Amino acid sequence: MAVSFHIMCIRLLASFPLLLAIGAGMVSAPGRAQEVTAYIGFLAPQSGSNQERGVSMVNGAQLAIDEINKKNIKVNNARVNFQLIVQDDRFNANTGKLAAQYLLKRNVLAVVCHSSTVCIATADIFQSAHIPQISVGATNHHFTQLGYNNVFRMFGHSEEGGILFGQYAYRDLKLYNIAVIDDKTPSGSAMADQFSDGFKKAGGFIAGRYSVSDKTSDFNEALASIKEKKADAIFWGGTHLQAANMIVNAKRLGLTTRFLNAMNGMNNQNVLSRVNDVGNILSLESDQPRDKLAKWKSFEKAYTTSFPGSYIDVSALRAYDAIQILGDAIKSSNSLDPQKLAETLHTEKFKGLTGPIEFDQEGNLKNPVFTVYESQGTEWKIVKVVKAD
């Protein structure tokens, strides 16, 4: 795929301030400093069943855009004005590809994406243009195993979290017989696979493995089979809203088993309100307890003030950090060259809202932290903080 003329200009002329100004849309007026606009793309669901999550993470990113625009970041003595271009990927690979092509036409310098489905489907598009692609929700390890040097993940992947949670379920929860359901997506299937591997290697038994469509709300066939097999627990690999529907269906069928989920943003109040305080839900997330984060209170206040009525998804914190580190990388490298930005992201350490941010050679977050949460009435209680080996 051809790289847009705009980005070619930036790469070839980065050392020539006047020409860079022309290529990047820099404007100036008598008595005013020069300014250049840096566009950052965001692929996230803004409609459909995952809309609430998508809106939350875009809100987090916009907060960061507003903040870094106040920092007066300059490249070659020209002030950089950051703008976010959001595209609704509808949690769909083909829609994501079309949206990615649009973002290239808009001359974005970097892209934030969410799901494994869309991040993986669009990775070759952004790699061909050498544009940094930062994921705030792609759990599938494959995203950073493509051999591309422009992909980054803001949290732990499924091979780390899934295996850890499988081991935890056997050793700490004393569960020995678990049924596993996935939603057939790259993220859900990989998470279910990794959880199953970790659980079996620890000594557990998989009572049954089931797959359903990521669009369905009918879990009756799988749940009836699981009830007959008397599994100790059900592990779900998929989105948290679909998980809520499954839990309600399971209770209606008389299942009293525990429900386990991993890295799907389950630990929010919206889920608990949907399942009517059912309890018995455990979720592992790749995050740190929020009260341990130095900047959490100020972020929470800014978010709730700017976006009243929108809950704060875990990916909103990662999206905020993704934009912040892009601003830091541009400032550090004194460049709007996307390839230079990718190189800088690989080599520098950042202090984020979510904690220390440093990427390994693949683009994965180094030393990710995982937290196990348990539903208790209308609240999520932190049970244990664990780290990958």
Side-chain angles (χ1 to χ4, degrees):
M1 180 183 301
V3 180
S4 68
F5 176 74
H6 167 80
I7 296 175
M8 290 175 64
C9 286
I10 291 176
R11 294 178 187 159
L12 294 174
L13 306 176
S15 61
F16 301 90
L18 179 60
L19 295 178
L20 174 59
I22 298 172
M26 188 183 292
V27 295
S28 61
R32 296 183 60 185
Q34 291 179 322
E35 183 175 288
V36 60
T37 299
Y39 296 107
I40 299 175
F42 205 129
L43 295 174
Q46 300 294 286
S47 59
S49 60
N50 289 284
Q51 178 181 1
E52 289 178 315
R53 290 200 76 188
V55 169
S56 180
M57 61 187 76
V58 169
N59 288 345
Q62 188 59 54
L63 273 184
I65 289 285
D66 296 340
E67 287 184 15
I68 63 176
N69 275 334
K70 296 177 182 178
K71 294 180 179 179
N72 198 31
I73 294 175
K74 293 183 178 181
V75 171
N76 292 318
N77 295 319
R79 182 184 179 278
V80 182
N81 174 47
F82 294 88
Q83 290 189 21
L84 195 66
I85 302 178
V86 180
Q87 284 292 285
D88 182 4
D89 63 24
R90 301 179 187 175
F91 207 68
N92 178 275
N94 290 329
T95 304
K97 289 178 181 179
L98 292 174
Q101 297 287 0
Y102 172 79
L103 291 178
L104 289 188
K105 293 178 181 179
R106 291 295 307 272
N107 304 320
V108 294
L109 300 180
V111 171
V112 180
C113 63
H114 173 238
S115 67
S116 299
T117 298
V118 173
C119 293
I120 293 173
T122 58
D124 61 335
I125 296 174
F126 296 120
Q127 191 274 338
S128 296
H130 305 290
I131 292 174
Q133 183 181 15
I134 305 177
S135 176
V136 297
T139 58
N140 194 322
H141 191 186
H142 183 60
F143 173 61
T144 49
Q145 292 179 310
L146 297 168
Y148 300 158
N149 64 357
N150 66 308
V151 296
F152 304 89
R153 190 193 325 268
M154 298 293 295
F155 62 109
H157 54 72
S158 57
E159 284 187 28
E160 297 167 321
I163 290 174
L164 273 176
F165 202 34
Q167 294 170 341
Y168 176 84
Y170 182 82
R171 296 170 182 170
D172 292 57
L173 300 179
K174 308 301 180 184
L175 299 173
Y176 306 109
N177 181 23
I178 293 180
V180 176
I181 310 176
D182 69 72
D183 66 354
K184 298 182 182 180
T185 65
S187 177
S189 298
M191 186 62 69
D193 288 342
Q194 298 301 332
F195 174 86
S196 298
D197 287 348
F199 185 66
K200 288 187 293 185
K201 288 178 181 177
F205 174 74
I206 301 299
R209 176 66 183 267
Y210 308 86
S211 295
V212 299
S213 166
D214 64 328
K215 305 294 190 300
T216 190
S217 58
D218 181 6
F219 300 90
N220 288 340
E221 184 176 349
L223 292 174
S225 175
I226 292 170
K227 183 179 180 181
E228 184 177 345
K229 293 179 179 179
K230 298 181 179 179
D232 297 332
I234 299 172
F235 177 84
W236 164 251
T239 66
H240 71 255
L241 292 179
Q242 205 173 9
N245 291 333
M246 180 196 69
I247 292 170
V248 171
N249 287 355
K251 289 298 181 181
R252 189 179 299 124
L253 291 174
L255 273 79
T256 57
T257 182
R258 279 182 158 179
F259 302 93
L260 310 181
N261 308 265
M263 299 170 64
N264 63 5
M266 188 81 174
N267 60 328
N268 65 74
Q269 300 305 313
N270 285 10
V271 169
L272 295 183
S273 65
R274 291 171 188 267
V275 299
N276 297 319
D277 305 337
V278 70
N280 264 346
I281 308 170
L282 287 107
S283 181
L284 176 125
E285 295 295 336
S286 181
D287 66 1
Q288 299 192 54
R290 294 180 182 179
D291 60 358
K292 303 297 183 183
L293 303 176
K295 301 178 182 178
W296 163 246
K297 287 298 183 182
S298 59
F299 173 84
E300 182 184 36
K301 181 179 180 180
Y303 187 101
T304 54
T305 299
S306 298
F307 310 106
S310 172
Y311 83 99
I312 304 177
D313 186 83
V314 63
S315 294
L317 282 70
R318 301 170 190 156
Y320 174 89
D321 273 352
I323 300 298
Q324 292 283 359
I325 66 173
L326 281 170
D328 288 346
I330 288 172
K331 180 179 179 181
S332 176
S333 63
N334 190 37
S335 175
L336 292 175
D337 177 355
Q339 192 165 1
K340 180 65 174 177
L341 293 185
E343 293 171 359
T344 303
L345 290 172
H346 269 294
T347 58
E348 295 206 2
K349 299 179 181 180
F350 304 93
K351 293 181 179 180
L353 165 67
T354 56
I357 299 171
E358 183 180 4
F359 301 106
D360 64 17
Q361 188 173 2
E362 278 190 348
N364 296 307
L365 179 69
K366 290 185 179 180
N367 305 312
V369 176
F370 298 87
T371 302
V372 179
Y373 297 87
E374 182 176 16
S375 64
Q376 294 189 357
T378 58
E379 300 294 333
W380 289 96
K381 178 184 177 182
I382 295 171
V383 179
K384 188 175 183 178
V385 177
V386 294
K387 294 184 179 181
D389 295 333

